Amino acid sequence: MEYHFDASLREVPENLHDFKNGTQVLIIECEKLHGLAKARALSKIGANQRIIGCLDESLQYLLKAKKILQQFPEYRLSFINDLRIAQSLQFGQNFEQAEELYQALQLKAVSDPQLLDLLDYAHQHLGKNHFDTGAYDLALIEFEKALKLRLAKEDHALIKSSEHAIAKT
């Protein structure tokens, strides 16, 4: 279930049919899971549903994952799930709600050493939110912050993603 980024900086499945089938397999497997494993699967399903354009379903799965995660001290997965919620809100053109959540995630990452390595994601996705609203100057600032963090991490795939976003802005 691979994807690439289009000119709008959105994920596009390499093969939509395979992506949908893979997501259906995850949905079936998820029924057998409990606890954190179920929350992890629900979050992944929610992300996949967003990628294939099923935004209502995406939010349903992500909110189910969030409810389960509230029972566990699994801060990283909660952060990632909230990031996915913000993305689904953004894709549904709920830009203000998405921005608020991205900003809250930035504050959370800065204030928690266990989450600091996820700060670049919050910057990158807030940048994408600004990009979608046409606030290209703000988008560029966020992409550059993400790139700086990603260069320090030496994660070449993430660096490439930020450089791609900067080039498109």
Side-chain angles (χ1 to χ4, degrees):
M1 295 196 312
E2 297 183 17
Y3 57 86
H4 65 273
F5 293 98
D6 67 7
S8 300
L9 307 178
R10 302 251 174 127
E11 301 108 325
V12 177
E14 294 293 340
N15 183 314
L16 183 59
H17 178 74
D18 289 349
F19 206 90
K20 286 181 177 182
N21 284 343
T23 301
Q24 285 303 314
V25 169
L26 285 174
I27 290 169
I28 292 165
E29 290 175 358
C30 183
E31 294 299 319
K32 304 170 193 168
L33 301 174
H34 302 282
L36 281 176
K38 186 170 190 88
R40 205 171 272 112
L42 288 167
S43 184
K44 179 66 176 163
I45 293 165
N48 287 359
Q49 293 286 26
R50 173 183 43 77
I51 291 169
I52 60 177
C54 299
L55 299 178
D56 290 339
E57 292 86 346
S58 172
L59 282 171
Q60 288 173 9
Y61 282 104
L62 293 167
L63 292 173
K64 285 178 187 179
K66 185 176 183 74
K67 186 174 181 178
I68 293 170
L69 288 166
Q70 290 171 344
Q71 302 169 29
F72 299 94
E74 182 58 45
Y75 305 115
R76 290 182 69 78
L77 184 54
S78 292
F79 184 98
I80 292 165
N81 193 68
D82 283 346
L83 189 69
R84 289 171 170 169
I85 290 170
Q87 288 176 281
S88 291
L89 290 169
Q90 173 188 341
F91 282 35
Q93 298 187 356
N94 295 306
F95 300 117
E96 288 180 26
Q97 282 183 286
E99 181 174 350
E100 289 174 14
L101 190 47
Y102 289 133
Q103 290 173 341
L105 289 168
Q106 286 178 349
L107 291 174
K108 191 180 284 191
V110 169
S111 64
D112 186 339
Q114 295 179 32
L115 300 174
L116 189 56
D117 67 317
L118 298 174
L119 179 59
D120 60 310
Y121 289 95
H123 282 298
Q124 182 79 6
H125 290 287
L126 178 56
K128 289 181 180 185
N129 193 65
H130 289 315
F131 184 93
D132 282 353
T133 64
Y136 301 115
D137 54 336
L138 296 175
L140 190 57
I141 290 168
E142 295 299 327
F143 293 147
E144 288 173 345
K145 287 179 182 179
L147 178 59
K148 183 178 178 182
L149 293 166
R150 289 172 171 187
L151 286 168
K153 287 167 100 170
E154 298 181 0
D155 187 321
H156 299 292
L158 294 177
I159 291 167
K160 184 178 175 182
S161 174
S162 290
E163 288 174 341
H164 175 74
I166 289 168
K168 291 290 184 185
T169 303

